[in-house]
Amino acid sequence: MEPVTPLIKWAQRHDKILLSICVSDLKDEKINLDQKSLTFNGTGGNNVKYACKFNFYQEVVPQESKHKKFGLELFLSIQKKESGGGYWPRLLEAKGKVPYLQVDFNRWKDEDESDEDVDQFNDGLENLMHRMDVGGGSAGNGGGFDPGDEAPDSDDEELPELES
């Protein structure tokens, strides 16, 4: 059976590319990152084989890049070789639309936005995901609300009188 190409989401900063390879329950992953390309192979849930290979728009620095596996994705932070070179017009060397590649709007930041605001958001998000990953919280009941309690309903409030 031919491997399936996974959904890949991407965002960027002046100095790095942020990639999410969306494969749940990933195991046996192999990542080969060199200056111009990324090759990925792995097995997801239900023993589905995934694979992809592509060339970047410009060169990256593999030694300064890192990755972390979460339950639903493999996250990669890839250092751009020319960090002061600004934003790339696209991720891939080849022009054109690629069906498995999407913009990651949760991590996207425009060139004129402050790095601090977005990085603080991403750091908080990564800390939350780490706590959930190690059992410090639960996605289903992380707010301390007991499902047996009756939640306040905004529809029960009285409406103000209309003015004449």
Side-chain angles (χ1 to χ4, degrees):
M1 185 170 165
E2 256 329 276
V4 176
T5 304
L7 172 66
I8 299 175
K9 295 182 180 183
W10 80 289
Q12 67 177 313
R13 304 289 183 273
H14 291 281
D15 60 341
K16 60 188 163 190
I17 296 294
L18 307 172
L19 286 182
S20 293
I21 299 176
C22 303
V23 176
S24 63
D25 302 324
L26 179 62
K27 57 188 174 200
D28 304 325
E29 67 273 6
K30 292 181 182 91
I31 304 161
N32 183 19
L33 179 66
D34 63 36
Q35 290 182 343
K36 281 298 283 175
S37 67
L38 172 75
T39 304
F40 164 79
N41 292 290
T43 304
N46 297 329
N47 291 322
V48 176
K49 303 282 185 197
Y50 290 91
C52 68
K53 178 179 172 60
F54 55 82
N55 294 326
F56 292 111
Y57 177 75
Q58 290 183 346
E59 290 187 4
V60 298
V61 184
Q63 316 76 283
E64 294 180 24
S65 301
K66 44 191 162 177
H67 67 275
K68 180 165 176 74
K69 183 168 56 170
F70 295 101
L72 298 175
E73 70 180 1
L74 176 68
F75 178 74
L76 296 95
S77 177
I78 302 170
Q79 187 68 36
K80 292 179 180 178
K81 185 171 184 179
E82 294 182 28
S83 60
Y87 274 39
W88 295 356
R90 60 185 181 274
L91 175 65
L92 305 181
E93 179 181 56
K95 290 182 179 181
K97 183 142 176 78
V98 180
Y100 63 85
L101 189 62
Q102 294 181 356
V103 172
D104 188 344
F105 289 105
N106 291 329
R107 291 187 174 113
W108 189 264
K109 178 184 99 49
D110 290 330
E111 280 187 82
D112 58 352
E113 286 184 67
S114 163
D115 283 338
E116 283 182 24
D117 296 340
V118 174
D119 288 341
Q120 285 176 356
F121 169 77
N122 287 332
D123 289 344
L125 180 62
E126 285 187 27
N127 287 337
L128 173 64
M129 291 173 72
H130 175 71
R131 285 196 310 265
M132 291 172 65
D133 193 35
V134 295
S138 166
N141 192 9
F145 173 73
D146 181 359
D149 291 345
E150 187 166 330
D153 188 351
S154 64
D155 291 342
D156 293 341
E157 297 174 11
E158 270 191 53
L159 296 174
E161 294 293 322
L162 294 175
E163 293 180 19
S164 307

